[in-house]
Amino acid sequence: MTAKTASANTAAFVSPPPGESHVRFVLWTLAAVATFVLAVVTAVSFPDRISFINDEPRQLAKAYYSNKAGTLAPYGLQGNFQFTYGPTATQIYQVILLFTQDPLTIAAVRAGLSAAITVLGLLWLARTLRLNPWFAAAISLAPFLWVYHRIIWDASWAIPIGTLGLAAYAAFVARGGGVRLGVAIFCTLILPFIHPQDVLLSAPIGLHMLWRHWRSLLRLWPAVVIPLAVVLVLNWQYIQHVRKEIRQMRESGGSSVSVAQYPEGVVPEEKEWIPPRAKSFLSPFLSGRILSGYKFVDGGFTSDDWGDRAARWGKAGSLIIYPLIWLGLAVAFWSVFWRFPRSVAPWEQRARLLRRTAKDGDSREPAESDAAATDAPVAVVSRADPTPARRAIAIIAMGSALFQALLFGAKKIPIEPQYFFGTFVVHVVLAWYAVEWLKRYRLETAMVLVYGLSVGAITFGQIYLDSVRPLTGSPRAARPEILPLGMQVEAAAALNNYADDQVMTDVSFYQRFPQAMRSLRLLMPPKAGKDRPTAGNLVLTFGDGPNGPGTKLVVIEARTAAQVPADAKPLNVRPLPNGWLPGAKEE
């Protein structure tokens, strides 16, 4: 191979002329800033409209009591498979609670952090793999992603951490470096301690790391040992707890039905032509559920308001993400086995050339002609060549999709967006590969525009509705069983004017989920020294608000029996105790 041939083979990755390089830098920076602003601003908007129902109150209470005890939370909540989750999400909320206990501020900080880290990971992937950064802006507007950035859940932290981990590993494959490797290893190891489903991403990354870069792991051992030690320190108590749970499970007779498959009734079943288990096996092909507007728009966007009409229009366009993911799977498969050259990473090849020249006593920097003289069986690549990283991520994506199909099929896990948290970034990358492949047919910009405008119409339509519609949870609302956080915070503040530990309420939401109010009472204690009377006849109900009758939760003192609603039931409003479980009796 001659130097001329080597140069020709790498022409696609040689730096552009100075003028063109400057234009590309400006356009890329513009896309990055727009993506970051879109993601973060939309995520933190109207935190008073988010839900606060079941797991969210218990999650914050667990973090609160861990901080009060001065310890790290040993484990998280228990899931649908009767298996205790790891403590990572709870520990994150512990950090947030060190700075604020205001529920609305907690919601805004959580949303901003999740959106910012996710966008950072997506832009890092775009830069490393040389993908269109505007697709990251489009993804950041996906309506379900917007929702899960905002809800105070545990499992959804896998979205930002998984995205950052895959981006760090792609950068390590492309350029090397102990810091990139350390970030990738930390995120990969911590993912399963957020939710067990996250092993679908961490396992393929870890296996690929051991298979292709074990020498680098030995050479850069501090980047391996330090993250491993940190993860063990944060999760040592949980590891011991899991060992105890497994031992108890074996002693009680092995595996239970709840562990064998997904419990019935948790997600309402729908009549469909595909059997549930077969549909679960097809999960990699149905992962567009978390990236589209499918079922997000259904039911709540029925008026002629422009926000509703925009959302209904956007739903159809957002479904384009499904064929993009299917095409991305084909592109990844083809790229791994046929298209991408089996070349070593640029930084590894450069290291080999440096070792060769040092061995020969030549201290100069290796040039392309030096690489050609090594008679390497592959084309010489520059430091900016994204091919090795693209191929590595394609292998990881296919492995993750295969693991997901097997696990979902075996457990009969329903195709709901919350079950794609762990593999979120994999499906984004697959769609991204499809968009990149369509560049040859000049369809890249069209695909990004159609998808971006569609999901943007849904998300901004919802934000517009949040801004103009009253904050209400009245029986006339579309979903009266869900009360927005802002309304609940107002009710908790009203209860702080009294010393009563129990009230009567006809609000079905609190009859089902008393932990929501009790957690707010924990985070929002009355002001010290304030004189609070014990009324003994308080009623928490819907009353007249600035937006009309029945649009606000009010606390009233019932003077007569007629003022107590017929369907009212007692509600304990004391602060949620440590370790509270639904249905548990209190002393």
Side-chain angles (χ1 to χ4, degrees):
M1 179 185 293
T2 64
K4 182 177 181 180
T5 304
S7 179
N9 286 338
T10 59
F13 305 114
V14 174
S15 299
E20 184 180 352
S21 177
H22 178 72
V23 172
R24 287 185 181 181
F25 174 78
V26 171
L27 292 177
W28 204 98
T29 303
L30 177 63
V33 172
T35 302
F36 193 86
V37 171
L38 281 174
V40 176
V41 171
T42 55
V44 301
S45 63
F46 302 103
D48 57 339
R49 303 304 176 108
I50 72 169
S51 61
F52 193 75
I53 308 174
N54 186 15
D55 289 348
E56 305 96 308
R58 296 168 57 204
Q59 187 76 253
L60 292 184
K62 183 178 285 290
Y64 173 89
Y65 282 112
S66 296
N67 278 356
K68 187 176 181 180
T71 62
L72 289 172
Y75 43 81
L77 303 180
Q78 195 174 67
N80 291 322
F81 288 95
Q82 304 304 310
F83 188 81
T84 304
Y85 298 157
T88 298
T90 307
Q91 292 170 358
I92 295 174
Y93 289 121
Q94 282 187 252
V95 176
I96 296 176
L97 286 175
L98 291 177
F99 297 94
T100 179
Q101 287 188 195
D102 177 65
L104 297 179
T105 304
I106 292 172
V109 170
R110 189 257 192 263
L113 277 176
S114 181
I117 297 172
T118 302
V119 166
L120 175 63
L122 291 176
L123 292 174
W124 199 359
L125 276 170
R127 187 170 182 83
T128 300
L129 304 181
R130 288 199 174 186
L131 301 173
N132 189 334
W134 287 107
F135 191 66
I139 289 293
S140 69
L141 293 177
F144 278 114
L145 178 62
W146 172 72
V147 167
Y148 292 126
H149 281 324
R150 293 157 57 83
I151 298 180
I152 307 174
W153 276 9
D154 48 6
S156 53
W157 281 108
I159 293 176
I161 294 178
T163 303
L164 182 64
L166 190 66
Y169 185 61
F172 167 74
V173 173
R175 299 179 178 88
V179 174
R180 300 183 185 96
L181 178 61
V183 173
I185 290 178
F186 176 78
C187 293
T188 300
L189 292 176
I190 207 70
L191 275 173
F193 295 102
I194 298 175
H195 193 283
Q197 67 171 329
D198 303 336
V199 74
L200 297 175
L201 176 62
S202 62
I205 295 177
L207 291 174
H208 189 275
M209 197 180 296
L210 293 172
W211 171 46
R212 297 293 295 175
H213 299 286
W214 62 270
R215 290 186 179 88
S216 297
L217 297 179
L218 295 176
R219 181 168 56 86
L220 301 172
W221 62 267
V224 178
V225 173
I226 294 176
L228 177 60
V230 172
V231 171
L232 286 177
V233 169
L234 294 176
N235 298 280
W236 184 251
Q237 294 183 74
Y238 174 69
I239 295 172
Q240 302 304 316
H241 179 79
V242 169
R243 292 178 59 186
K244 182 179 178 181
E245 276 194 344
I246 295 174
R247 184 170 60 253
Q248 291 176 346
M249 185 182 300
R250 289 176 178 175
E251 292 174 353
S252 62
S255 61
S256 62
V257 176
S258 62
V259 176
Q261 65 179 19
Y262 195 88
E264 301 289 344
V266 175
V267 177
E269 293 188 3
E270 301 176 358
K271 294 182 178 180
E272 299 183 9
W273 63 276
I274 304 178
R277 191 176 296 277
K279 188 176 180 180
S280 296
F281 273 116
L282 294 175
S283 57
F285 298 96
L286 302 175
S287 55
R289 183 77 167 80
I290 193 174
L291 297 173
S292 70
Y294 177 62
K295 291 190 178 180
F296 183 91
V297 178
D298 300 353
F301 298 83
T302 56
S303 74
D304 290 331
D305 193 294
W306 78 264
D308 285 28
R309 285 186 278 111
R312 293 196 297 270
W313 171 85
K315 174 186 174 181
S318 71
L319 297 180
I320 197 174
I321 198 69
Y322 282 92
L324 285 178
I325 292 174
W326 303 340
L327 177 59
L329 280 166
V331 170
F333 184 84
W334 181 268
S335 300
V336 168
F337 293 102
W338 286 283
R339 181 66 175 173
F340 286 169
R342 292 179 174 271
S343 59
V344 297
W347 60 271
E348 285 187 343
Q349 188 171 48
R350 183 175 178 83
R352 292 182 186 180
L353 293 175
L354 285 172
R355 289 195 297 269
R356 180 183 294 273
T357 53
K359 182 179 180 180
D360 295 339
D362 189 353
S363 60
R364 64 185 176 85
E365 285 287 313
E368 286 185 359
S369 58
D370 298 318
T374 64
D375 296 326
V378 296
V380 176
V381 289
S382 74
R383 290 172 63 89
D385 183 0
T387 300
R390 284 186 180 181
R391 184 173 185 272
I393 301 305
I395 293 172
I396 292 170
M398 289 194 303
S400 179
L402 177 61
F403 289 166
Q404 186 170 48
L406 295 176
L407 179 64
F408 275 47
K411 298 292 185 181
K412 199 179 174 181
I413 298 176
I415 306 300
E416 295 294 328
Q418 64 267 31
Y419 300 114
F420 292 96
F421 289 161
T423 56
F424 162 82
V425 66
V426 167
H427 307 299
V428 171
V429 167
L430 289 174
W432 224 335
Y433 278 9
V435 169
E436 180 70 13
W437 185 81
L438 289 171
K439 183 188 294 184
R440 66 185 64 190
Y441 301 106
R442 298 184 179 180
L443 294 174
E444 176 192 30
T445 302
M447 294 297 102
V448 173
L449 281 175
V450 169
Y451 177 71
L453 291 175
S454 298
V455 293
I458 300 172
T459 300
F460 282 114
Q462 181 63 60
I463 294 174
Y464 169 75
L465 296 177
D466 286 345
S467 67
V468 299
R469 289 182 177 176
L471 183 64
T472 176
S474 73
R476 293 189 298 277
R479 298 184 66 187
E481 73 277 10
I482 302 298
L483 297 181
L485 178 60
M487 176 175 285
Q488 297 189 60
V489 168
E490 292 178 357
L495 286 173
N496 280 345
N497 294 321
Y498 300 90
D500 295 66
D501 290 334
Q502 181 173 291
V503 301
M504 299 296 292
T505 184
D506 63 338
V507 180
S508 60
F509 174 85
Y510 287 126
Q511 293 173 357
R512 295 175 58 199
F513 307 107
Q515 65 268 34
M517 177 56 69
R518 300 187 65 183
S519 177
L520 293 178
R521 297 297 306 278
L522 178 69
L523 298 173
M524 301 169 54
K527 293 182 179 179
K530 182 179 180 181
D531 184 21
R532 300 187 302 136
T534 301
N537 55 352
L538 295 181
V539 177
L540 176 62
T541 185
F542 287 109
D544 295 342
N547 299 298
T551 60
K552 182 179 180 180
L553 281 176
V554 295
V555 178
I556 62 174
E557 296 183 35
R559 303 300 181 185
T560 64
Q563 290 182 292
V564 180
D567 56 348
K569 297 179 181 179
L571 174 67
N572 187 340
V573 293
R574 287 181 294 177
L576 196 69
N578 191 15
W580 182 92
L581 293 174
K585 294 183 179 180
E586 298 182 33
E587 298 180 359

